[in-house]
Amino acid sequence: VLQEKDGTLVTQSIQLNDTVEGVLKSMRDALKTVGTVNLPPPPAAPSPLQHNNDPTQTIIDEQKSESYKNEFYRMHGIVWASSAGGQQQVDRRFDVNTYRGRDLKGFLKTLNPKQVEERRSSRMDASAAALVVRRAFQFQAVDGTHMGWSSASLARCLTSLMALHEEHHAKFYVSSFYPLRLVISADEFLESLDVYGGILRLHPAATPLQWLETLRGVTEDKLQEYQSNQKKVQEYNRVAQGALGVKIKKGLSCSSEEYHEFLAMLAAAVKSRTEQEGLTLTSNAVMLERILVTVESSHQCRRGLVTRDGSIRVGAGMIGENILGAISRLSIEARAQLVEERENRERCKEAIDRAQWEFGVNRVYRAGMVLVTTDQLMDCLSRLLAADEKDRAQIKYHLAGNSLGVAGAGQRCHLDDDGSVVVPWDWR
């Protein structure tokens, strides 16, 4: 379809099964119909080789022709071997799509038990350091798992923070940081003190004096402001959840302030509709299990939808009427999806129990940030259990006493920071 200068669309047909010269000529004629000028003619077909009476030149030409023919057959063989009908073995050493990183048996053969013990020990050191920091500062919790650091590095970071407390604790404006949670985060775009979510963030690359400045920013007024915001959130939740018969939860992409504003808006919308239309729960809605409503940021979600686990996802930027309409419209579909997902989880739990008994692993869990569905987890475990007796014995020898993590597609078999073995669900 071509467009003329006045905007008119013109349809032209080109026979792609024609010769190269014919296709080029058809394209040139089609462009001429819409006013394109000064188009060069298609290149002329190559002329046949002129035979030379010189025997030396004839031998050279024959050698070139034979070389071209051999190269053609070589490339043709590679393409044929790569296709479904090829029977030749293709060299996978330089294949970027190789499955070598997903080779479970090959990875287990190279697994070093000493390295497993070292990572377990480092995780225990990090947990102990976090416990000491939590008790010294009286934080509600200490979280440093989202940085991607090793446990050994996190333990050193927390040890430095403990040294800061011993030297400068008299300079703090509060004696207890409860009920704040400490998060070691490298995100520079979030505020250090979140009075809506009760989070105090410390940058791991900051100096101890910068940490001290952040800690001195916590005052009694800030703690009271956070507690006041929490009471408001509880009241908003009581109004919205009681009237709609749902559970509301903050998603990972939604900030605490955005979630607070969302609940205030939703509670106001529920009160307004209750006053105008008398919004009440029916007897059926009271008897049914509450649907989970997850609130994501306005950039991640702009309309209501049902997730795979049977919950309803809404965006924090949606208006109250749209949220109420989405919950009412998607509740039936969400309950059906919830029942199906629950049945899948029961079957998955049975497979997990079998895998723990068969291979002697401590636990089986979903690992990594990439979502692993229940079907993918079932497929991974079923292929492990369906292996022959020799392979199962080899897998058990390496996995016994360890934890097994199942990661999403695109991951490689590797040893996690806590010493557990992580395999992609589509391992080979």
Side-chain angles (χ1 to χ4, degrees), residues 164-280:
L164 170 68
H165 180 272
E166 295 176 355
E167 183 177 358
H168 299 287
H169 67 276
K171 299 179 182 179
F172 299 154
Y173 291 120
V174 293
S175 58
S176 172
F177 289 84
Y178 188 86
L180 298 181
R181 294 184 297 115
L182 175 64
V183 175
I184 309 295
S185 172
D187 194 336
E188 300 179 354
F189 298 96
L190 298 177
E191 295 183 1
S192 299
L193 179 58
D194 184 0
V195 294
Y196 292 94
I199 298 175
L200 179 64
R201 297 182 178 90
L202 294 181
H203 200 289
T207 64
L209 293 181
Q210 291 173 325
W211 283 349
L212 177 61
E213 182 181 356
T214 302
L215 292 169
R216 284 170 56 86
V218 179
T219 61
E220 293 292 345
D221 293 339
K222 294 293 185 180
L223 295 179
Q224 292 178 3
E225 182 180 359
Y226 165 63
Q227 294 174 355
S228 175
N229 291 332
Q230 282 297 100
K231 291 180 180 179
K232 292 179 182 178
V233 167
Q234 293 174 2
E235 177 64 20
Y236 296 152
N237 267 322
R238 185 189 65 81
V239 173
Q241 294 181 163
L244 301 175
V246 298
K247 294 180 181 179
I248 303 177
K249 184 187 75 171
K250 184 179 78 71
L252 296 177
S253 63
C254 183
S255 65
S256 301
E257 183 177 1
E258 197 174 19
Y259 179 65
H260 184 275
E261 296 173 353
F262 170 86
L263 288 178
M265 177 268 300
L266 182 59
V270 168
K271 288 181 178 180
S272 176
R273 177 173 288 193
T274 303
E275 294 174 357
Q276 296 176 3
E277 305 177 7
L279 178 63
T280 57

Side-chain angles (χ1 to χ4, degrees), residues 320-363:
E321 291 299 325
N322 291 346
I323 297 171
L324 297 178
I327 294 175
S328 175
R329 184 180 69 255
L330 300 174
S331 294
I332 298 178
E333 181 183 354
R335 293 185 192 280
Q337 183 66 29
L338 179 61
V339 171
E340 181 181 353
E341 179 65 17
R342 185 168 296 168
E343 293 175 354
N344 292 335
R345 287 182 180 179
E346 287 297 328
R347 292 195 296 269
C348 186
K349 185 177 181 303
E350 295 176 0
I352 290 175
D353 293 339
R354 286 187 55 197
Q356 288 180 307
W357 174 263
E358 178 70 27
F359 302 113
V361 296
N362 295 330
R363 67 187 181 105

Side-chain angles (χ1 to χ4, degrees), residues 113 163 197 244 313 318:
L244 301 175
R313 182 183 299 168
M318 298 172 60

Side-chain angles (χ1 to χ4, degrees), residues 8 29 38 55 60 71 108 134 154 156-157 177 180 191 195 205 244 263 267 295 319 326 330-331 358 370 380 411:
T8 305
D29 296 339
N38 298 328
I60 295 176
E71 179 67 15
L108 292 177
R134 184 172 68 86
L154 179 60
R156 286 193 292 269
C157 177
F177 289 84
L180 298 181
E191 295 183 1
V195 294
L244 301 175
L263 288 178
V295 183
I319 62 177
L330 300 174
S331 294
E358 178 70 27
V370 181
C380 174
Q411 304 295 314

